[in-house]
Amino acid sequence: MDSGRLEAFSDGVFAVAITLLALNLAVPGPGHGPLTRQLTDHWPSFAAYLVSFLTIGIIWVNHHTLFKNVARIDRVLLFLNLLMLFFVVAIPFATATIAAYLGHGAADAPLAAVVYQGVFEGMSLSFGVLFYWSIWRKHLKIALTPSAARAAAIRFGAGNIAYLVAIGVAFLSAPASLLISGLVAAYYVFEHIPARPGEAQPGTA
Amino acid sequence: MDSGRLEAFSDGVFAVAITLLALNLAVPGPGHGPLTRQLTDHWPSFAAYLVSFLTIGIIWVNHHTLFKNVARIDRVLLFLNLLMLFFVVAIPFATATIAAYLGHGAADAPLAAVVYQGVFEGMSLSFGVLFYWSIWRKHLKIALTPSAARAAAIRFGAGNIAYLVAIGVAFLSAPASLLISGLVAAYYVFEHIPARPGEAQPGTA
Amino acid sequence: MDSGRLEAFSDGVFAVAITLLALNLAVPGPGHGPLTRQLTDHWPSFAAYLVSFLTIGIIWVNHHTLFKNVARIDRVLLFLNLLMLFFVVAIPFATATIAAYLGHGAADAPLAAVVYQGVFEGMSLSFGVLFYWSIWRKHLKIALTPSAARAAAIRFGAGNIAYLVAIGVAFLSAPASLLISGLVAAYYVFEHIPARPGEAQPGTA
Amino acid sequence: MDSGRLEAFSDGVFAVAITLLALNLAVPGPGHGPLTRQLTDHWPSFAAYLVSFLTIGIIWVNHHTLFKNVARIDRVLLFLNLLMLFFVVAIPFATATIAAYLGHGAADAPLAAVVYQGVFEGMSLSFGVLFYWSIWRKHLKIALTPSAARAAAIRFGAGNIAYLVAIGVAFLSAPASLLISGLVAAYYVFEHIPARPGEAQPGTA
């Protein structure tokens, strides 16, 4: 079973989820005060859009990088992939929730941020399981070298721990928590999880 | 006529429908009581999201499994596929309806659950017709062995009867009915409809 | 320039448009009267959903049938395809409009139906231009036989005239007009526009 | 790393964004005055839909034309493509904003138009960077001839300057600014950015 259709379906879900993020950018419109103020008051939506867009973008890039090296898929992989998509699909909801509370609901902003980071942690963990399943079941076209596998483990660990930290920080400050997930996304723009041998060295691919 | 574009179009519809499910997760937001209560009161939306996501996921996996083994398609198959998608597209609507009534509309919850299960039954029946058309018109790359065909018939029958039962139970209890369709989805995660010879034994693929 | 990406993009648009149709099925929900009455009062939405779903489905099938036989595309074809998609994208809007007025706005229902049928006519005409451009510029893999070309011309003509009639009828009766476009869609389920030689005889493909 | 999945994901985003544009066409419906007046009062939405549809259509055509000639992609290209999609995804929001203010918010219409044209400028600039990165890193299958590269530079420059002008004009007149971006789109229908040698001469492809 090759991975073509798994990738096509996943790409569809990634594309729809990333595009739905922008639905949340809508401002109230004429009759609700000057547009300048509407746009500036709306900063949490723009900030959350930026972080969520980057996060979905990164997970897409990692998904793409992984499946280039996956030779065949099994039913477990199909369902692990669905599990990951379950969290991806929830991102527009989580984004809208944190955006709504960052600006207006001081008391509830921490909970909204916990929901947001929890969805990211779920996505990140399920992607990790997907990744290790592919290695463990030897589904990769080219096996990872020990150093590439070690580098992948470190980076996965880093991402998952960062989201756990973001959940913890959320209880103290929702904006700080949003910032952390923004930094995680920025980190993965420059560092990537190796999915082929020889990709262990940062910056070579 | 090969099945590439039928699969691409279907994947698009599956992906959009599964992602639109999450639109229904939105909570009222600031000014409508504590977020904790908003989220807990919203349990029917989360439960219905879970069941509908799994159900669309399963039908996608079965569709994928079937079309891997379909050598060519005819016009009838295109329209049977459209018929199945007709029900898939209606799932976000049916999900929103059952979610709205599970929590707040005791008197109407059974009808909402009947609509929900009816859409699932329609999807399941039309997928069954699609499957048998492919076998009957000998469109499969590799014919099913008699035992694989028998196993498929049993599993299709089981799924369709389960949705009929869920429709019946809906008149008595909407949550119980939702639970049944959740169990059907969970069952198909572990059991799959054989679409190739040698797949009749549970657990081999 | 091969047609792979034109088809992928078009499939995406078809898939999103056909799935967005269902957004319009949403009933008001708890607190707006019994669900039975909400659903029955909502018949125009269900009827319009059915007709629009079938119409998008048919145009997708015709698009698919045509592009199987298109050997290469040029820039004009890309833009003719965009023109057709311009109308496809407008179908969910037109569907929502006719559905809103069929039941509640007697005085304005004819105008709503004219908008609806006008979008269908635009889609149908631009698909026709696309089709004839492919023949005229000899972009087809296998040229149509004269009888296939004649059969295609008759069927295109029939479709376009039927939509013109539906526009005319819309001024008299919006439901009758909706019925006509439903019958056009049903007709194309059984009859198809030949896009390969030997497909001129109805029922052979 | 081939460009297949980058194209599939981008096509998904383009398709969803272009289809979501139509959500903004919805009129208030029965009980909000005659439909004729609702539709005519709604002209800014139709005008903005037309311009945004064409603009996304054009960028898709250019993306398609470029990637036909891209032999391989690197991580930088993946992220430059994501940057461009970041602006594409924002187009439905920007379109809804300018449409809302063109008709009703005289005082704020300029700002709405600046947002709209700013999103287009962002998209156009990031596409330009994507294009030059492909040339500079020699990722093209067939290198551009000097004259093709010069023609591309002129056309990119023209587009980017036109959007800058549209931003400037927005401060004076939002409708005039919308007209300019409509003309830019119309211009690119007939002129295209060369992405292969021998495409430098206008009108040859």
Side-chain angles (χ1 to χ4, degrees):
Chain A
M1 200 192 292
D2 78 87
S3 67
R5 232 186 124 180
L6 178 147
E7 294 176 62
F9 176 65
S10 304
D11 279 355
V13 172
F14 284 127
V16 182
I18 213 170
T19 316
L20 289 184
L21 287 175
L23 289 186
N24 193 41
L25 297 180
V27 291
H32 296 83
L35 182 55
T36 332
R37 194 152 53 81
Q38 287 186 40
L39 289 170
T40 49
D41 283 1
H42 215 49
W43 72 264
S45 292
F46 295 108
Y49 168 60
L50 183 62
V51 173
S52 296
F53 186 98
L54 257 182
T55 304
I56 296 181
I58 298 288
I59 196 83
W60 176 78
V61 171
N62 283 339
H63 195 266
H64 178 56
T65 308
L66 171 60
F67 278 94
K68 266 185 316 166
N69 193 26
V70 166
R72 69 205 143 78
I73 53 174
D74 56 19
R75 233 175 124 78
V76 173
L77 234 153
L78 285 181
F79 283 104
L80 288 176
N81 191 61
L82 272 178
L83 180 65
M84 187 207 62
L85 294 178
F86 181 81
F87 292 103
V88 171
V89 164
I91 290 178
F93 153 70
T95 307
T97 304
I98 195 177
Y101 282 93
L102 259 187
H104 300 289
D108 281 325
L111 178 55
V114 167
V115 169
Y116 186 69
Q117 305 292 355
V119 168
F120 282 178
E121 179 73 32
M123 180 186 75
S124 178
L125 272 177
S126 50
F127 184 76
V129 175
L130 190 72
F131 185 89
Y132 282 109
W133 180 265
S134 316
I135 295 179
W136 183 57
R137 293 298 292 249
K138 300 195 175 16
H139 285 346
L140 299 188
K141 286 172 194 159
I142 305 172
L144 288 192
T145 59
S147 78
R150 209 175 318 116
I154 290 168
R155 284 177 202 158
F156 266 125
N160 280 313
I161 288 169
Y163 285 127
L164 281 179
V165 170
I167 292 176
V169 169
F171 288 101
L172 304 172
S173 161
S177 164
L178 183 64
L179 187 65
I180 290 173
S181 44
L183 292 173
V184 172
Y187 166 80
Y188 279 116
V189 171
F190 298 102
E191 284 292 313
H192 74 292
I193 291 163
R196 281 170 177 287
E199 293 195 333
Q201 308 86 322
T204 46
Chain B
M1 201 193 290
D2 79 87
S3 67
R5 234 188 121 180
L6 179 147
E7 293 177 62
F9 176 66
S10 304
D11 280 355
V13 172
F14 285 126
V16 182
I18 213 169
T19 316
L20 289 183
L21 288 175
L23 289 187
N24 193 41
L25 296 180
V27 291
H32 295 83
L35 182 55
T36 332
R37 194 153 50 82
Q38 287 186 40
L39 289 171
T40 48
D41 284 0
H42 215 49
W43 71 264
S45 291
F46 295 109
Y49 169 60
L50 183 62
V51 173
S52 295
F53 186 97
L54 258 182
T55 303
I56 296 181
I58 298 289
I59 195 84
W60 176 78
V61 171
N62 283 339
H63 195 266
H64 178 56
T65 308
L66 171 61
F67 279 94
K68 267 184 316 167
N69 193 26
V70 166
R72 70 205 141 77
I73 53 173
D74 56 19
R75 233 174 125 77
V76 173
L77 234 152
L78 285 182
F79 283 104
L80 288 176
N81 191 60
L82 272 178
L83 180 65
M84 187 205 64
L85 294 178
F86 181 81
F87 292 103
V88 171
V89 164
I91 289 177
F93 153 72
T95 306
T97 305
I98 195 175
Y101 282 94
L102 260 187
H104 300 288
D108 281 325
L111 177 56
V114 167
V115 168
Y116 186 68
Q117 304 292 355
V119 168
F120 281 179
E121 178 74 32
M123 182 186 73
S124 178
L125 272 177
S126 50
F127 184 76
V129 175
L130 190 72
F131 185 88
Y132 282 109
W133 180 265
S134 316
I135 294 180
W136 183 58
R137 293 297 293 249
K138 300 195 174 15
H139 285 346
L140 299 189
K141 286 173 194 158
I142 305 171
L144 289 192
T145 60
S147 77
R150 210 177 316 117
I154 290 168
R155 282 174 204 160
F156 266 125
N160 280 312
I161 288 169
Y163 285 127
L164 282 179
V165 169
I167 292 177
V169 169
F171 288 102
L172 304 172
S173 160
S177 163
L178 183 65
L179 187 66
I180 290 173
S181 44
L183 293 174
V184 172
Y187 166 80
Y188 278 117
V189 170
F190 296 103
E191 284 292 314
H192 74 293
I193 291 162
R196 282 170 178 286
E199 293 195 335
Q201 307 86 322
T204 45
Chain C
M1 198 193 294
D2 78 87
S3 66
R5 233 188 122 181
L6 179 147
E7 293 176 62
F9 176 65
S10 304
D11 279 356
V13 172
F14 284 126
V16 181
I18 214 169
T19 316
L20 289 183
L21 288 175
L23 289 187
N24 193 40
L25 296 180
V27 291
H32 295 84
L35 182 55
T36 331
R37 193 152 53 81
Q38 286 186 42
L39 289 171
T40 48
D41 284 359
H42 215 48
W43 71 264
S45 291
F46 295 109
Y49 168 60
L50 183 63
V51 173
S52 295
F53 186 97
L54 257 181
T55 303
I56 296 181
I58 298 288
I59 196 83
W60 176 77
V61 171
N62 283 339
H63 195 267
H64 178 56
T65 308
L66 172 61
F67 279 95
K68 266 184 317 166
N69 192 27
V70 167
R72 69 205 143 78
I73 54 173
D74 56 19
R75 233 175 125 77
V76 174
L77 234 153
L78 285 181
F79 283 105
L80 288 176
N81 192 60
L82 272 178
L83 180 65
M84 187 206 64
L85 294 178
F86 181 80
F87 293 103
V88 171
V89 164
I91 289 177
F93 153 71
T95 306
T97 305
I98 196 176
Y101 283 93
L102 259 188
H104 299 289
D108 281 325
L111 178 55
V114 167
V115 169
Y116 186 68
Q117 304 292 355
V119 169
F120 281 0
E121 178 74 32
M123 181 187 75
S124 179
L125 271 176
S126 50
F127 185 76
V129 175
L130 191 72
F131 185 88
Y132 282 109
W133 179 266
S134 316
I135 294 180
W136 182 57
R137 293 298 293 250
K138 300 194 174 16
H139 285 348
L140 300 189
K141 286 173 194 157
I142 305 171
L144 289 193
T145 58
S147 76
R150 209 175 317 117
I154 290 168
R155 281 173 204 162
F156 266 126
N160 279 312
I161 288 169
Y163 285 127
L164 281 180
V165 169
I167 293 177
V169 169
F171 288 102
L172 305 172
S173 162
S177 163
L178 183 64
L179 186 66
I180 290 173
S181 45
L183 293 173
V184 172
Y187 166 81
Y188 279 116
V189 171
F190 297 102
E191 285 291 313
H192 74 294
I193 290 164
R196 280 169 178 287
E199 293 195 335
Q201 307 87 320
T204 46
Chain D
M1 199 193 293
D2 78 87
S3 67
R5 231 186 125 181
L6 179 147
E7 294 177 62
F9 176 66
S10 304
D11 279 356
V13 172
F14 284 126
V16 181
I18 213 168
T19 316
L20 289 184
L21 288 175
L23 289 187
N24 192 40
L25 297 180
V27 291
H32 295 84
L35 182 54
T36 332
R37 193 152 54 82
Q38 287 186 40
L39 289 171
T40 49
D41 283 0
H42 215 46
W43 71 264
S45 292
F46 295 109
Y49 168 59
L50 183 63
V51 173
S52 295
F53 186 97
L54 258 181
T55 303
I56 296 180
I58 298 288
I59 196 83
W60 176 77
V61 170
N62 284 337
H63 196 266
H64 178 56
T65 308
L66 172 60
F67 279 94
K68 265 184 316 164
N69 193 26
V70 167
R72 69 205 144 77
I73 54 174
D74 57 19
R75 233 175 125 78
V76 174
L77 234 152
L78 285 181
F79 283 104
L80 288 177
N81 191 59
L82 271 178
L83 180 64
M84 187 206 63
L85 293 178
F86 181 80
F87 292 103
V88 171
V89 164
I91 290 178
F93 153 70
T95 306
T97 305
I98 195 176
Y101 282 93
L102 259 187
H104 300 289
D108 281 325
L111 179 55
V114 167
V115 169
Y116 186 69
Q117 304 292 355
V119 168
F120 282 179
E121 178 74 31
M123 180 186 75
S124 178
L125 272 176
S126 51
F127 184 76
V129 175
L130 190 72
F131 185 89
Y132 282 109
W133 180 265
S134 316
I135 293 179
W136 182 58
R137 294 297 293 250
K138 299 195 175 17
H139 284 347
L140 300 189
K141 286 173 194 157
I142 305 171
L144 288 192
T145 59
S147 77
R150 209 175 318 118
I154 290 168
R155 281 173 205 161
F156 265 127
N160 280 312
I161 289 170
Y163 286 128
L164 281 180
V165 169
I167 293 176
V169 169
F171 288 102
L172 305 172
S173 161
S177 164
L178 182 65
L179 187 67
I180 290 173
S181 45
L183 293 173
V184 172
Y187 166 80
Y188 279 116
V189 170
F190 297 102
E191 284 291 314
H192 75 294
I193 290 163
R196 280 170 178 287
E199 292 194 335
Q201 307 87 321
T204 46

